[in-house]
Amino acid sequence: MILEIFYNIFIYPIELIIDFVFTAVYRLLHNPGFAIIAVSIIVNLLILPLYKKADALQEEEREQQKKMAPWLKHIRKTFCGDERFLMLSAYYKEQSYSPIMAIKGSFSLLLQIPFFMAAYNYLSNLTTIKGAPFWFIHNLGAPDCMLKVGGISINILPILMTVINIISGIIYTKGFPLKDKVQLYTLAGLFLVLLYQSPSGLVLYWTMNNVFSLLKNIYFKFVRNPKRAIAVICSIIGILAPVMLFINGELYTRRRILFAVIVFMVMQFPTLLLFSGKKITVWDYMVKRMPATSYKLYLLGTSFLALFIGVLIPSALIGSSPVEFVNQYSFRNPIIYVINTASIYIGLFVVWGGLLYYMSSKTGRGILSIVAFIFAGVAVVDYMGFGRNLGIISSELQFDNVPKYALAEILINLFTILCVIIITLFLLEKRLKAIAYIFIISGVSTAILSLQNVLKIHREIATVQVAHNTDWKELEKEKVISLSKTGKNVIFIMLDRAVGAYFPVMLEDRPEIRDMYSGFTFYRKALSFGSFTIFGTPALFGGYEYTPQKINERDQEKLVDKQNEALKVLPVLFEENGFDVTVCDFPLAGYQSIPDMSIFNDRPRIKTYNLAGRYSGRYRDYFLPYEEKLLKRNYFWYSFFKIAPVVLQPVIYDQGYYYGNERMVNSSFLDHYAFLEQLKSHTEIVDKKSNTLFMMDNDTAHNAWMLQLPDYRPEINIDNSGIESKSKNINGEMVELSTDELIQYHANIAPILRIGEWLDYLREMGVYDNTRIVIAADHGTVVAHPFRGYDFFEDIRT
């Protein structure tokens, strides 16, 4: 845990920046090679001020050592033992020098470590580059193996990277002492060893870093007219960018053409500026009018941001319903998500923001202070005043519907942000102490609210009972369903949010479903009493006496009591008539998201189970590391999403991807799907003449997730290209389904296939003909295409 927090603070913020830049460029160009090059260029430009300051510190240390060298040599030659130590200490004190200051000379080297670790971790595990070619590289996800000598493959790219690194080092260390040169050449050799067998995408990234470093060293060492050199380099890049896109066959859409034009124009701007002879200083007016801002005040602002965004927002989300954010398989306390998010934002704002502030010029510090204070004000206003009613959100941070905002709300939000900026600038100029007091009061309030949220989470999680044994191999042997060969069997399965109108489409896609469900009656125009489980289930389980109208007539009773009563109608009737009854995962039992099956405690002969998550161990072992990795990333982006202007929120949310390349594993889907997949192993067939009732709710169809065809199985990396067409035959018309509709369709066909396989098993075991089976849904979901041609209201009228 300590190591994870350390990584979150010092490394993970850089990894998030790499991820964001890669995703943005890759989505635009669909070329992972160009995306890696863009990541290298942009990251190097972002940290250029740090490297510039590091070089200055190194030069300062070198000059100090050079100045002291004659006396140090004399002392070491003249004295020995304790006497030498005392003389050296006295001389260092006289020169106001501490040996620990020698670290300044290695600061540039130390700065590379977190960036290397972030790039290594991100690119080594990036599925997008696996199998992707780029120019002379056949597979960015593997070593390049460009040269073969006999039966040995030689990787050329790491060697090229090292050569560039050495050339850059030769230029940089010209005139330096031997120890500095040895340090750089040793580092170049170390990178060659570390990266020789690494994916070529990672080596390409580090090669571009070395190219950037080489150009930087040439620029600082030899260029007499830096402004002209920068103008020429930018101009060349601006010309080469569209040319490279054209040669690589990527320049074929309006968006990419526009991107190429923008890059070209932006890169020509330094040249135009050079020839115009005018100096444009955007920040000069504001910075000159701002009083000098102390580091303490800047630290106060960034600390408040880390506390507000990293602690308050995730703790408020989880604290709204802590039990729903519990990982039922690993039973990981959701407070860990708050800790992770807080440590990442501390790293981003306090550590890296503080380092950037410390190494900036006076003007740079003024700019950073202004940005930090404005950002804090906008964050508070956006979170507290806008984007409040976004609907239901899952434990995977997925909303039921994509957040959308009316134009009026967007304009009001932008106007409010403008007011915040004006007020902040006024306070910075006239009332600097007022800002300090505002941050202190706001910080204390935020800390108190965050602590309340965390304590609430801790209290509620402490009461949660783990409903299953995590030894899934033993659980797979458990027999939950008991069916009689000679008696009567009744099975009722509710598929939460299943769309009945998808069934005819499934028959077209998978004809074997007709045989699986032979003997069933499909009711094409069944209606629910509401679009949510809370409205649809009472009448489904209890009959017409529990329709919304009838329930509302009993206005002196609690809704939870009426819900529980409806759920118990059939199990109690069957149990009173001699049936052996088993009920599982009854929806909203006790009005709890994890069903409170104790509502049947007064009927001890009725067996009750909560199956969700009980048998998903096999999948959890496979998906859990991937799931936890994405959750940590998405909690960071969720907090940022909540404080962003509403016009940007849909872009950040990005259909639930949170501007990433990988979709979150739907753990709820796995928890419910796993039992359906194992129905045969959990069914026992008995010879005794007994009557049985088995009832269960299953949420597989509720938790939409793209699956791997042809078997509709869950996988981390889904590739259905060439296997599935988005065009479906719906009511005799070929309709192109959207991605969201296709994902919903997958979530519907998967349980139908798994239950169908179980029905075939019941036939084999000789219990199908004496079993009555009902499969129903409490409600569907908002998908338009499958309902074309369905005139519900005409049916109701007739």
Side-chain angles (χ1 to χ4, degrees):
M1 184 63 200
I2 299 298
L3 289 177
E4 185 176 7
I5 292 174
F6 182 86
Y7 187 90
N8 290 343
I9 292 174
F10 294 100
I11 312 297
Y12 198 67
I14 304 171
E15 191 174 327
L16 286 169
I17 294 172
I18 293 173
D19 175 45
F20 176 80
V21 175
F22 180 90
T23 302
V25 178
Y26 179 73
R27 289 188 177 188
L28 185 67
L29 303 179
H30 294 285
N31 187 304
F34 282 132
I36 290 172
I37 292 173
V39 167
S40 176
I41 293 172
I42 293 173
V43 169
N44 274 287
L45 287 174
L46 288 174
I47 64 174
L48 187 58
L50 295 181
Y51 275 121
K52 190 176 178 181
K53 183 69 173 181
D55 289 343
L57 290 173
Q58 192 170 12
E59 182 64 26
E60 180 185 327
E61 165 64 17
R62 195 177 296 111
E63 289 298 323
Q64 181 79 346
Q65 288 283 359
K66 187 176 179 181
K67 178 183 174 182
M68 296 189 305
W71 273 103
L72 291 174
K73 183 179 179 181
H74 174 72
I75 292 171
R76 291 190 178 104
K77 183 178 178 180
T78 307
F79 303 96
C80 61
D82 291 341
E83 194 175 13
R84 176 192 291 176
F85 175 78
L86 291 172
M87 291 299 294
L88 285 172
S89 299
Y91 181 65
Y92 284 143
K93 187 174 182 180
E94 179 186 338
Q95 296 296 319
S96 301
Y97 180 84
S98 170
I100 200 172
M101 292 172 68
I103 296 176
K104 291 195 300 184
S106 304
F107 189 74
S108 182
L109 172 62
L110 294 173
L111 199 57
Q112 293 186 50
I113 295 174
F115 286 90
F116 173 76
M117 292 178 65
Y120 187 90
N121 189 55
Y122 180 75
L123 293 173
S124 295
N125 298 294
L126 186 62
T127 57
T128 308
I129 67 174
K130 293 179 180 178
F134 179 66
W135 285 356
F136 49 82
I137 303 172
H138 298 294
N139 181 3
L140 288 169
D144 59 78
C145 302
M146 284 190 226
L147 181 63
K148 293 189 181 293
V149 179
I152 301 174
S153 297
I154 299 177
N155 302 322
I156 299 298
L157 197 57
I159 297 173
L160 176 63
M161 172 197 74
T162 305
V163 170
I164 295 172
N165 200 2
I166 290 173
I167 294 172
S168 176
I170 291 172
I171 295 172
Y172 179 71
T173 59
K174 186 179 180 180
F176 285 13
L178 179 62
K179 68 172 186 177
D180 290 339
K181 295 181 179 181
V182 170
Q183 185 185 67
L184 283 176
Y185 299 150
T186 302
L187 185 64
L190 179 62
F191 275 115
L192 174 62
V193 173
L194 287 174
L195 297 180
Y196 187 76
Q197 291 294 341
S198 295
S200 51
L202 174 61
V203 184
L204 174 64
Y205 169 81
W206 210 251
T207 302
M208 292 306 302
N209 280 4
N210 291 340
V211 170
F212 187 92
S213 180
L214 174 61
L215 295 175
K216 176 173 68 74
N217 292 337
I218 292 173
Y219 170 77
F220 285 117
K221 286 283 185 179
F222 302 110
V223 176
R224 294 182 179 179
N225 193 330
K227 293 181 180 179
R228 183 174 296 176
I230 289 176
V232 171
I233 292 170
C234 290
S235 183
I236 292 172
I237 292 173
I239 295 170
L240 287 179
V243 172
M244 290 167 65
L245 290 174
F246 178 77
I247 293 173
N248 206 55
E250 297 293 336
L251 197 66
Y252 57 86
T253 66
R254 290 182 180 179
R255 178 186 286 185
R256 293 173 192 172
I257 292 172
L258 179 62
F259 171 76
V261 171
I262 292 173
V263 169
F264 175 80
M265 294 177 65
V266 170
M267 290 294 103
Q268 306 312 313
F269 182 74
T271 303
L272 295 173
L273 191 61
L274 182 67
F275 284 104
S276 69
K278 294 181 180 180
K279 184 181 180 183
I280 299 176
T281 54
V282 178
W283 288 96
D284 270 8
Y285 175 75
M286 289 202 310
V287 172
K288 285 178 180 177
R289 289 172 66 88
M290 298 304 137
T293 306
S294 69
Y295 179 70
K296 291 181 180 178
L297 190 58
Y298 175 77
L299 184 62
L300 190 63
T302 51
S303 299
F304 168 75
L305 279 169
L307 180 63
F308 184 79
I309 307 176
V311 183
L312 179 63
I313 294 177
S315 67
L317 172 68
I318 298 171
S320 63
S321 183
V323 175
E324 295 185 46
F325 291 88
V326 173
N327 187 318
Q328 284 293 298
Y329 173 67
S330 65
F331 202 73
R332 198 177 192 191
N333 193 315
I335 290 177
I336 192 64
Y337 303 130
V338 180
I339 295 173
N340 280 335
T341 310
S343 57
I344 294 169
Y345 275 104
I346 288 171
L348 181 65
F349 289 129
V350 180
V351 176
W352 286 104
L355 182 63
L356 185 61
Y357 182 92
Y358 172 74
M359 304 188 80
S360 296
S361 63
K362 184 178 180 181
T363 301
R365 292 180 178 182
I367 293 171
L368 288 173
S369 297
I370 293 169
V371 171
F373 300 147
I374 290 175
F375 189 22
V378 170
V380 173
V381 168
D382 283 344
Y383 178 70
M384 303 298 290
F386 298 92
R388 305 290 294 171
N389 300 312
L390 299 178
I392 299 172
I393 187 171
S394 70
S395 59
E396 288 82 29
L397 308 183
Q398 310 286 311
F399 289 101
D400 275 2
N401 298 300
V402 176
K404 294 180 180 178
Y405 300 96
L407 179 60
E409 186 173 2
I410 293 173
L411 293 176
I412 292 172
N413 179 238
L414 293 176
F415 176 75
T416 306
I417 290 172
L418 179 61
C419 293
V420 170
I421 293 172
I422 294 172
I423 293 170
T424 304
L425 292 176
F426 171 79
L427 291 174
L428 278 169
E429 185 177 6
K430 302 292 185 182
R431 300 287 187 272
L432 205 58
K433 287 186 177 180
I435 285 188
Y437 290 133
I438 289 171
F439 274 130
I440 291 171
I441 295 170
S442 300
V444 171
S445 302
T446 301
I448 292 172
L449 290 173
S450 300
L451 181 61
Q452 289 176 343
N453 291 334
V454 170
L455 291 175
K456 179 185 178 184
I457 296 168
H458 177 73
R459 284 195 303 268
E460 294 199 21
I461 295 304
T463 65
V464 174
Q465 299 295 320
V466 183
H468 59 275
N469 185 341
T470 54
D471 187 353
W472 53 266
K473 292 180 181 179
E474 289 297 319
L475 286 173
E476 283 185 349
K477 302 174 184 178
E478 187 178 26
K479 305 296 182 182
V480 176
I481 308 168
S482 180
L483 300 176
S484 171
K485 279 189 174 182
T486 55
K488 296 178 181 178
N489 304 304
V490 178
I491 297 172
F492 175 84
I493 300 174
M494 186 192 105
L495 295 179
D496 199 319
R497 199 192 263 186
V499 180
Y502 273 134
F503 195 73
V505 187
M506 298 177 193
L507 298 179
E508 293 286 339
D509 267 2
R510 303 297 294 261
E512 69 269 27
I513 292 179
R514 292 183 182 274
D515 295 329
M516 290 176 172
Y517 289 86
S518 175
F520 277 77
T521 300
F522 171 52
Y523 294 92
R524 300 179 64 89
K525 300 183 180 182
L527 287 174
S528 170
F529 280 99
S531 55
F532 295 95
T533 299
I534 195 171
F535 302 124
T537 51
L540 182 64
F541 278 79
Y544 289 109
E545 294 179 12
Y546 297 92
T547 63
Q549 179 183 353
K550 292 293 184 181
I551 283 180
N552 287 339
E553 289 175 0
R554 299 161 57 182
D555 56 4
Q556 300 302 312
E557 302 175 47
K558 293 181 179 179
L559 283 172
V560 61
D561 295 332
K562 290 180 277 190
Q563 175 78 11
N564 293 341
E565 186 181 304
L567 296 176
K568 294 173 68 174
V569 168
L570 283 177
V572 170
L573 282 175
F574 275 83
E575 186 255 347
E576 289 177 345
N577 283 276
F579 278 69
D580 295 332
V581 178
T582 302
V583 295
C584 308
D585 295 296
F586 266 26
L588 294 179
Y591 262 24
Q592 299 295 316
S593 55
I594 298 177
D596 179 10
M597 301 304 285
S598 67
I599 65 172
F600 289 98
N601 283 351
D602 60 335
R603 296 283 174 170
R605 291 185 62 246
I606 297 178
K607 297 178 182 178
T608 61
Y609 296 92
N610 276 332
L611 302 176
R614 191 180 179 92
Y615 307 104
S616 54
R618 187 185 301 275
Y619 282 117
R620 289 301 190 144
D621 285 348
Y622 176 56
F623 282 106
L624 192 60
Y626 175 83
E627 180 184 17
E628 292 294 339
K629 182 189 78 170
L630 279 187
L631 264 180
K632 181 166 77 171
R633 176 195 178 278
N634 289 355
Y635 266 100
F636 169 88
W637 279 111
Y638 171 81
S639 292
F640 193 82
F641 157 84
K642 290 294 290 181
I643 57 93
V646 295
V647 70
L648 295 179
Q649 287 189 8
V651 178
I652 297 170
Y653 179 68
D654 189 29
Q655 304 288 329
Y657 282 85
Y658 287 95
Y659 215 79
N661 294 303
E662 298 170 309
R663 194 176 185 90
M664 185 66 206
V665 173
N666 195 319
S667 58
S668 295
F669 177 92
L670 292 177
D671 287 343
H672 290 268
Y673 174 88
F675 182 74
L676 296 183
E677 191 179 46
Q678 301 169 36
L679 276 169
K680 288 192 290 185
S681 62
H682 295 301
T683 303
E684 65 174 351
I685 310 299
V686 297
D687 288 326
K688 64 178 182 178
K689 189 170 183 178
S690 59
N691 300 326
T692 69
L693 170 69
F694 175 74
M695 300 181 69
M696 78 168 181
D697 167 37
N698 187 273
D699 285 4
T700 301
H702 190 283
N703 302 294
W705 194 23
M706 186 73 80
L707 300 169
Q708 181 61 54
L709 273 59
D711 296 324
Y712 291 90
R713 305 281 182 181
E715 294 288 347
I716 290 177
N717 300 311
I718 303 296
D719 183 8
N720 289 327
S721 55
I723 302 176
E724 181 182 42
S725 171
K726 286 188 176 182
S727 296
K728 304 295 181 185
N729 187 346
I730 299 174
N731 300 323
E733 178 185 356
M734 294 304 294
V735 175
E736 184 83 2
L737 295 184
S738 69
T739 300
D740 285 341
E741 290 167 340
L742 198 61
I743 291 173
Q744 187 66 49
Y745 174 69
H746 279 209
N748 275 256
I749 197 171
I752 292 297
L753 283 171
R754 303 292 85 86
I755 293 171
E757 293 164 354
W758 182 55
L759 297 178
D760 287 341
Y761 172 75
L762 298 185
R763 291 185 181 96
E764 292 175 14
M765 301 304 295
V767 295
Y768 184 77
D769 291 335
N770 64 317
T771 302
R772 297 295 173 261
I773 305 167
V774 177
I775 302 174
D778 56 340
H779 63 93
T781 188
V782 182
V783 280
H785 287 313
F787 295 101
R788 286 186 178 181
Y790 279 55
D791 190 348
F792 290 110
F793 295 102
E794 184 64 29
D795 259 17
I796 292 172
R797 285 193 295 270
T798 57

